[in-house]
Amino acid sequence: MARKGTKHSDIEIKRSETAFEIVKETIAKGSPLHFHSYLEAELVVEGCAEQILNGKHYNVKRGSFYILRPMVDSHSIEINTIVVYKFYIKAGELQQSLYDKLLLLDTSLYVEFSELETQRIISIFDVMKEESQTQSAYYREIIKNGLSSIIMYFLRKYGSSNEQLLRGKLLQFLLKDDRYLTDVSLSQMAREFGYSNQHMSSLFSKTVGVSFTDQKILLRIQHATRLLLTTKYGIEEIAFMSGFSRYSLFSKAFKRQMGMSAKEFRKRNCG
């Protein structure tokens, strides 16, 4: 399928109205921080680069695989030269149970496949790419099955352990109805899960990797970056829309998380 409507200088990148696209692409130029209006997954098959996913830096190479959820995950690329397999798919085209699992996972959906696993994923991509070009009978079903297989290989690699499932539940507590933008407390979470405050605090930090408060702030900063990139609201207004009671708290948290002020962030990424 031909690629249409991709502009890496845009803040929100949109694609054509096709339900899915499968491409093999050589990327020799970086792109600024942006979000997508569709689900994107990439498998690096050659070369190396620095990929920044939701503020986290990854040195990607052959076998690196990452998923970007629509208007949830942001990324930018600093390129040497890499060759990647990509698929783009509208969220509604992916099996709902798989999509729900992706939403429950951590903020950066990144794994590194072994060489054997990489070859297996490449073979699936090759079949999907051929089907998308020939469009023979049942090609859509074959492509959807291939996409589902790749997602399931990712989920297996990412981890389906009890700890990962618990992590998803803990994060979902904050994400549900945008609770992280409210004054939701650890005590409320402890009551919902049936634990004491002390046990809830310890369990959250151990499972998620940061404290309840730090995770809530991280989600608020991610919300603020989306507003900075996709709206024309003033920065102070965005601070309050992102759940901060005082602009000074937002300013300190944003600089600590992003390494620059919100004003500089918007200037760099919005021109």
Side-chain angles (χ1 to χ4, degrees):
M1 297 182 185
R3 299 183 62 192
K4 299 178 182 179
T6 302
K7 296 181 180 179
H8 285 298
S9 59
D10 289 348
I11 299 307
E12 177 190 349
I13 298 182
K14 298 182 178 180
R15 303 194 67 79
S16 65
E17 292 304 311
T18 53
F20 41 70
E21 298 182 46
I22 299 95
V23 297
K24 183 178 182 181
E25 181 178 38
T26 299
I27 305 176
K29 184 179 180 181
S31 65
L33 186 69
H34 58 275
F35 294 85
H36 295 272
S37 59
Y38 50 86
L39 185 76
E40 176 185 342
E42 295 186 8
L43 172 71
V44 179
V45 297
E46 185 181 325
C48 60
E50 183 180 26
Q51 178 81 253
I52 304 174
L53 304 172
N54 298 318
K56 298 181 180 179
H57 293 247
Y58 299 90
N59 293 316
V60 301
K61 58 186 182 300
R62 180 176 172 85
S64 298
F65 182 85
Y66 36 92
I67 297 175
L68 302 160
R69 296 158 294 188
M71 298 311 295
V72 174
D73 301 306
S74 65
H75 76 136
S76 62
I77 311 171
E78 294 183 11
I79 292 295
N80 292 326
T81 297
I82 58 173
V83 180
V84 298
Y85 273 95
K86 292 184 179 183
F87 70 71
Y88 309 91
I89 182 171
K90 291 182 178 179
E93 294 291 326
L94 186 65
Q95 186 179 325
Q96 189 61 46
S97 61
L98 291 178
Y99 188 65
D100 289 343
K101 284 183 172 64
L102 293 179
L103 289 179
L104 286 174
L105 294 178
D106 200 357
T107 51
S108 294
L109 306 187
Y110 176 90
V111 298
E112 292 186 358
F113 286 122
S114 68
E115 180 58 29
L116 181 62
E117 291 167 331
T118 299
Q119 291 176 15
R120 184 180 297 133
I121 301 299
I122 288 174
S123 68
I124 298 173
F125 266 116
D126 285 338
V127 170
M128 292 193 303
K129 192 169 183 295
E130 181 180 355
E131 289 294 331
S132 71
Q133 292 170 343
T134 60
Q135 297 191 5
S136 300
Y138 303 108
Y139 81 96
R140 291 174 64 89
E141 288 74 14
I142 293 172
I143 290 175
K144 285 185 179 182
N145 285 338
L147 294 173
S148 294
S149 294
I150 290 174
I151 296 296
M152 284 187 279
Y153 278 124
F154 165 79
L155 290 170
R156 176 192 288 177
K157 188 74 173 182
Y158 189 89
S160 57
S161 65
N162 290 334
E163 184 175 347
Q164 286 290 357
L165 294 175
L166 175 59
R167 186 179 200 175
K169 290 180 181 179
L170 295 177
L171 291 173
Q172 183 61 18
F173 173 84
L174 285 171
L175 292 169
K176 184 179 179 181
D177 300 325
D178 294 335
R179 282 174 175 164
Y180 63 91
L181 297 178
T182 71
D183 292 330
V184 64
S185 66
L186 180 69
S187 297
Q188 290 173 267
M189 188 179 203
R191 285 196 298 272
E192 183 163 316
F193 280 80
Y195 298 134
S196 67
N197 288 357
Q198 183 176 359
H199 181 71
M200 189 77 256
S201 177
S202 176
L203 180 65
F204 192 98
S205 297
K206 180 181 177 181
T207 306
V208 178
V210 295
S211 70
F212 176 85
T213 299
D214 285 346
Q215 182 62 37
K216 188 164 66 170
I217 291 173
L218 173 61
L219 291 171
R220 288 177 174 181
I221 294 300
Q222 290 176 353
H223 181 82
T225 60
R226 289 195 290 274
L227 293 178
L228 287 165
L229 293 171
T230 60
T231 74
K232 294 184 178 180
Y233 290 120
I235 293 176
E236 287 196 29
E237 191 173 3
I238 286 175
F240 294 117
M241 292 171 69
S242 300
F244 291 90
S245 59
R246 297 199 304 274
Y247 177 73
S248 59
L249 295 175
F250 166 78
S251 181
K252 290 178 181 177
F254 193 96
K255 190 165 186 178
R256 183 170 62 249
Q257 179 64 34
M258 304 302 295
M260 65 185 79
S261 68
K263 181 178 180 181
E264 184 180 359
F265 175 84
R266 175 175 263 179
K267 184 177 180 180
R268 283 191 184 186
N269 293 287
C270 297

